Each structure stands twice: as C-alpha cells, then as structure tokens.
Amino acid sequence: MELKGLGSKTREKIRRIVGSDNCSDRPEDLYLYAFDAMNRRFLPEMVAHPADASQISSILKLANADGFPVVPRGAGTGLTGGSLPVAGGLILTTSRLNRIIGIDRENMTAWVESGVINGDLQAEVEKQSLFFPPDPSSAKFSTLGGNAAENAGGSRAVKYGVTRDYVMALEVVMPTGEIIHTGSAAMKSVTGYDLTRLLVGSEGTLGVITRLLLKLIPKPQAVGSMLTSFPEVRQACMAVTNIMTSRIVPSTLEFMDRSAIDCVKDYLDLEIPSEAAALLLIEVDGPPGVVEDQVAILENVCREAGAILFQTASTPEERESLWKARRSISPAIMKIRPLKINEDVAVPRMKIPDLIQGVEEIAGKRDVRIVNFGHAGDGNVHVNLLIDPEDKDEVARAHTALEDLFKLTVSLGGSLTGEHGIGIAKAPFMYLEVDKDTMDVMRRIKRALDPNNILNPHKTFDYEPDIADREIRAPDA
Ligand SMILES: Cc1cc2nc3c(=O)[nH]c(=O)nc-3n(C[C@H](O)[C@H](O)[C@H](O)COP(=O)(O)OP(=O)(O)OC[C@H]3O[C@@H](n4cnc5c(N)ncnc54)[C@H](O)[C@@H]3O)c2cc1C
C-alpha cells in the first residue's frame, strides 16, 4: 500500500478516537515531536496522545484503512532517531499511559503502563525494599515502553542484565490493530513462541507496547564504590578481566580513556594522576560485610594490574563524588565541540584494548576528536565523535570515521549497537553485521505482522537514504 499524507477526513477521525484535547496538528506542537536525542529533525503531520490500548487499536486500524504512517514515541530520549517521523504521518505518544498499575511484593513483579518513567518505578519499588535493575543514564526521563522497545542497558547491566531480562509479559497493540498478550506472570513459561523477546528491542516497528509485567529483585543492602586509574589502557583491561574472573560480579564497571579523563578532570573533587591513561569506576553490592570484603579484594586485583590510584567511597556524598567523573563526561565534551555523535559499539570484553587502539588510529587518520568511555564490564564502549556541524569538512571526515569504526567493531567480533538500537542512525551500516539471509528473515517477520508497513516505516533494515530529503531545519528562535 502506498502511504499517504493525513487528509482532513482522517484527521477528524483521529480527533474522534482520542478527543480533540488529546491531539494536535498545530505547527508549534508538531515541532516538539520533530526530534529526539539524535541531531536530526522530521516534522510529523499530527500528534496524538491516546488513553489506552483500545484507542491505539482504533488508530492503527484507521492507519491501515486510510494509509498513513504511525510512529510510537515515549519520552523521545532515543539516540538513534527511532521515534522520528521520517515518512511524516502520526506521532503516537504514551504520555497518558503513565500508571504503575500494581506492585506485587510477594511475587516480586510490577505491572506498569508503557509511559511510566523508569526512575519513577525504581523509586516506588525501592520503598518496598525491591529493586528494578535496568538503569539507563536517561532513567529520570525515559519511559519503560521506550526502554523495552530499545532493550535499554545502562551501567548495572554487567551484573543484572538489560531490560529484556526483566520483561515477563506484555500487552501490545499489533500494527493491524489486534491487542495481544505475550508471556506469563509465572517465572517459567515456554508456551508457544517467545513473542515477548521478539517485541522487546523491536524499536517500535512490530507493535505498540501498552503494558509491561516487570520482574523485580530484592534491593541490595549496601553498595561499595571505587575509582581507580592506570597508566595504560591495556592494564585497565587486564584489571577488568581479572575482576570478572575473581568470582566477584561487580554491579558497575565503567571505563574512561585518556581523552575522557582530560575532559572531566577539572570538574572533579579528587586529583587524577597526570599519567593516567584509563580510569575505572567500579561498584559492588550485597550484604554490608560482604561488600567490604569485596572492595578489599578488588583493590588487590587493581593494584596487581598496575593501578596508580585507588579511591573508595564510604558515604553517599563520597560515592556521588566518584560518580561525578562518569556523569561529567557528556556535559564536559560538549564544551569541546557543539555536536557529539555518540556511538555504542560492543565488542567481546578482551577486545576492548584493540578497539581503543583502533579508534585512536581512526581519530588520527580522519583528523576527528574522539572520546571513549562506557560499560567495560560488558564490552560496550561509547565512542563519541566530537564535531562542529558548521564545519562541513569535519562532518564529512566524521562520517568516514564512523564507517571505519563500524568495520573495525565487526572485524573484532563485535556489534554496531550494545544498547541504543539501530533506528536511522546505524541503519546504513547494518549490512556489516547482519548477513543478507538473516536480514531477509527480519523483513519477512515485519511484512507478516505489518503488511501495509504503517508502523514506524523506514527504520533499521527498511532504511531509505531518501529520507534526508524530508529533513527539516530547526525553526528560527
Ligand atoms: C542523556 C541520555 C542518556 C542515555 N543513556 C542510556 C543508557 O545508559 N543506556 C541506554 O540503553 N540508552 C540510553 N539512552 C538512550 C535512550 O534513553 C533509551 O533508548 C531509552 O530507552 C528511550 O526511551 P524513550 O522513552 O525516550 O523512547 P523514545 O526515544 O521515545 O523511543 C525510542 C524507540 O522506542 C519506540 N517506542 C517508544 N515507546 C514505545 C512503545 N510504548 N511501544 C513500542 N515502541 C515504542 C520508538 O518508536 C522508538 O523507536 C540515553 C539517552 C540520553 C539522551
């Protein structure tokens, strides 16, 4: 089916479904939904804020009948353009699906609507000594539906896994409008295909998630935080391996390279040795006595690997001061160049030194400033290319550097994206990692579930380079 723009009759039908107070096609409203955290802009034709799965179902049935694209949107914090309306059409937000339906303390689960903010759920369950581990750095703003659609990770993934590991069941509106229920409230269930796992990470292309049943675990009693630095990246990587094989599983194991350290050292309350080429932020959690013992063991492990600094935190304020090193990177690097392209490649842990060395070579060869940090424990490194968007030559060099980076990553047995998803940002490079037949199976699944291609078209394997023609510039302030 050829997708069309939204005609006046279709707009009227959408108003009738969600109520005219819950949708808009005024330009000033549309601009608010033209961008996410990736630096590109596409204008939708209308935005709707449905109240429940039944309204979403009516909208999707209408989209199939009248032929217009629908793009699900949570908080719009995505970094790969997943919620951008690249083909125009309707933005469908989950802003009104914002209820924590119930927390079941005994079974350690929670039913939530998909527009609930991750951090709000974390705060709520912690009041009952429970814990929801998926903790992307955007947790204070991003929605649980968006986290599930992107299979978001975060710094606790090294011990606790990613969003997928905590989604037990879903209510989803299919692209053709049926409301389906996947998974089970039972801890174990192998009935039928695992549609939950198919839908989690599908980046809003296979269905609109309206409710999630999430697994919770007991809240750890204590946390031990450490910051340590090394004169060589290789030594930091050795420490990472030795930590992971020490029979202690850290709850956080974050890495920063020299370029990242240079960016943040002026913001820190502690002195980082000038020869530091790599820094690790490590946390362990569990019963207080065990945590103390583990911190002592990890200090030995790090010193044996060549640590030249080992700082621990014993109060929440001291912990915050150590985290400042990690949290200051993003604002600090924006002072170097106005735009960063934030990649999230992942490699087998032992390949991190090869990745960092390769990235340094790419930075030199393409003359682009690159800062690396990320989740060393799971080999997921944020490679940040810093550019001035007004400098066309630098932008072109950065794009060549990106392709170099993805080729390097795949040659190391890695993946283009550990947590941010493909969206439109990495779509042109997906062929590097996924072979043609595998990609074809993905296309067949999409076609079977969304025969008219109305749900979030032109994302991931369905990318069309022509979308650039529909991009808009920011409105003048
Ligand atoms: C400062 C910052 C820090 C970040 N840190 C991390 C991090 O540590 N780890 C990490 O993994 N990511 C991180 N991200 C990326 C981003 O926050 C995550 O991808 C997050 O999961 C997106 O959630 P959202 O609600 O903003 O979704 P959106 O950006 O609105 O949408 C993202 C995708 O999900 C789809 N979608 C949204 N809601 C639904 C739904 N209900 N049903 C079906 N599809 C849906 C959209 O169509 C889109 O494709 C960060 C982003 C920022 C800006």
Side-chain angles (χ1 to χ4, degrees):
M1 174 192 276
E2 182 78 17
L3 296 183
K4 304 188 290 265
L6 286 172
S8 57
K9 282 192 186 142
T10 302
R11 289 172 198 238
E12 194 42 45
K13 290 180 206 165
I14 294 171
R15 282 189 197 98
R16 277 207 294 273
I17 294 170
V18 295
S20 45
D21 287 349
N22 298 312
C23 59
S24 172
D25 53 6
R26 288 190 297 270
E28 64 271 31
D29 292 332
L30 299 182
Y31 276 114
L32 296 176
Y33 298 92
F35 58 90
D36 63 0
M38 185 198 177
N39 192 45
R40 294 184 71 177
R41 291 181 174 79
F42 295 85
L43 209 56
E45 293 162 79
M46 195 169 189
V47 53
H49 312 285
D52 54 28
S54 152
Q55 291 187 356
I56 293 172
S57 165
S58 301
I59 288 174
L60 292 173
K61 285 178 183 162
L62 179 66
N64 281 283
D66 288 11
F68 60 89
V70 176
V71 181
R73 182 178 170 107
T77 68
L79 287 160
T80 54
S83 64
L84 299 185
V86 296
L90 180 75
I91 288 277
L92 191 154
T93 82
T94 54
S95 60
R96 293 172 70 209
L97 300 171
N98 56 7
R99 279 183 318 133
I100 297 176
I101 300 162
I103 297 169
D104 180 341
R105 196 163 181 275
E106 286 73 33
N107 284 305
M108 291 199 274
T109 56
W111 267 112
V112 296
E113 290 186 320
S114 56
V116 170
I117 301 298
N118 175 318
D120 292 349
L121 177 72
Q122 288 197 40
E124 215 42 51
V125 302
E126 286 181 27
K127 286 181 195 160
Q128 302 193 31
S129 301
L130 294 169
F131 192 53
F132 180 63
D135 185 39
S137 307
S138 59
K140 283 193 180 142
F141 322 102
S142 60
T143 66
L144 291 161
N147 294 169
E150 295 288 4
N151 191 18
S155 60
R156 299 201 287 234
V158 56
K159 176 168 182 179
Y160 292 107
V162 293
T163 305
R164 174 176 284 139
D165 302 312
Y166 293 85
V167 180
M168 296 171 66
L170 292 172
E171 177 188 80
V172 179
V173 187
M174 298 309 284
T176 35
E178 304 87 349
I179 301 173
I180 67 157
H181 300 92
T182 74
S184 168
M187 275 294 158
K188 293 176 76 181
S189 164
V190 289
T191 308
Y193 289 156
D194 192 344
L195 297 180
T196 311
R197 280 181 92 85
L198 174 65
L199 286 153
V200 173
S202 66
E203 302 193 28
T205 63
L206 295 182
V208 181
I209 300 167
T210 47
R211 290 183 177 203
L212 305 93
L213 178 65
L214 299 170
K215 182 170 106 177
L216 307 171
I217 60 172
K219 184 173 170 349
Q221 290 165 276
V223 177
S225 308
M226 299 147 263
L227 190 82
T228 176
S229 71
F230 301 83
E232 288 178 31
V233 172
R234 189 188 48 79
Q235 291 168 309
C237 292
M238 183 53 68
V240 169
T241 305
N242 293 350
I243 290 168
M244 297 305 288
T245 51
S246 68
R247 295 199 284 176
I248 295 171
V249 183
S251 52
T252 292
L253 185 40
E254 296 285 297
F255 163 84
M256 290 166 62
D257 76 352
R258 189 193 298 275
S259 56
I261 299 169
D262 286 345
C263 289
V264 298
K265 62 181 175 206
D266 293 343
Y267 297 82
L268 304 184
D269 310 325
L270 75 164
E271 197 69 32
I272 306 283
S274 57
E275 63 271 39
L279 191 144
L280 297 178
L281 173 67
I282 312 166
E283 286 197 331
V284 286
D285 62 11
V290 174
V291 163
E292 263 174 45
D293 291 350
Q294 292 187 338
V295 170
I297 294 170
L298 293 188
E299 175 164 7
N300 275 337
V301 171
C302 290
R303 293 215 185 272
E304 273 170 23
I308 44 175
L309 168 88
F310 192 88
Q311 185 89 26
T312 56
S314 43
T315 64
E317 294 73 33
E318 284 174 8
R319 181 181 180 218
E320 201 42 46
S321 150
L322 299 190
W323 268 96
K324 210 167 165 186
R326 176 67 172 82
R327 293 200 222 282
S328 313
I329 305 176
S330 288
I333 58 182
M334 294 315 281
K335 293 202 170 157
I336 298 172
R337 288 283 195 285
L339 182 68
K340 69 169 176 177
I341 303 179
N342 175 355
E343 292 307 335
D344 67 318
V345 295
V347 291
R349 222 170 16 238
M350 284 306 288
K351 297 285 185 187
I352 294 178
D354 298 336
L355 178 72
I356 301 296
Q357 192 190 332
V359 169
E360 281 171 7
E361 284 164 18
I362 293 168
K365 187 166 147 202
R366 304 296 179 196
D367 188 20
V368 178
R369 182 86 188 261
I370 303 185
V371 172
N372 304 299
F373 61 92
H375 317 302
D378 36 38
N380 186 192
V381 179
H382 292 299
V383 177
N384 291 268
L385 287 74
L386 309 186
I387 53 177
D388 176 356
E390 299 303 320
D391 182 343
K392 300 292 169 234
D393 191 52
E394 188 167 72
V395 172
R397 281 186 275 113
H399 280 107
T400 314
L402 260 192
E403 190 163 354
D404 294 342
L405 167 68
F406 291 136
K407 285 183 175 157
L408 168 69
T409 302
V410 173
S411 76
L412 295 173
S415 178
L416 304 183
T417 171
E419 53 183 23
H420 296 162
I422 293 286
I424 54 172
K426 283 165 248 207
F429 306 104
M430 212 174 148
Y431 76 96
L432 290 171
E433 185 180 339
V434 183
D435 64 65
K436 193 177 157 301
D437 287 346
T438 310
M439 200 101 91
D440 198 42
V441 171
M442 294 189 196
R443 285 202 179 91
R444 276 151 54 194
I445 292 172
K446 169 73 173 168
R447 242 190 333 261
L449 300 183
D450 184 9
N452 293 319
N453 199 22
I454 55 112
L455 195 64
N456 213 355
H458 308 318
K459 302 286 165 67
T460 68
F461 49 77
D462 184 29
Y463 179 72
E464 263 191 8
D466 291 354
I467 59 166
D469 301 343
R470 292 192 284 269
E471 199 162 350
I472 55 161
R473 291 189 60 79
D476 292 332

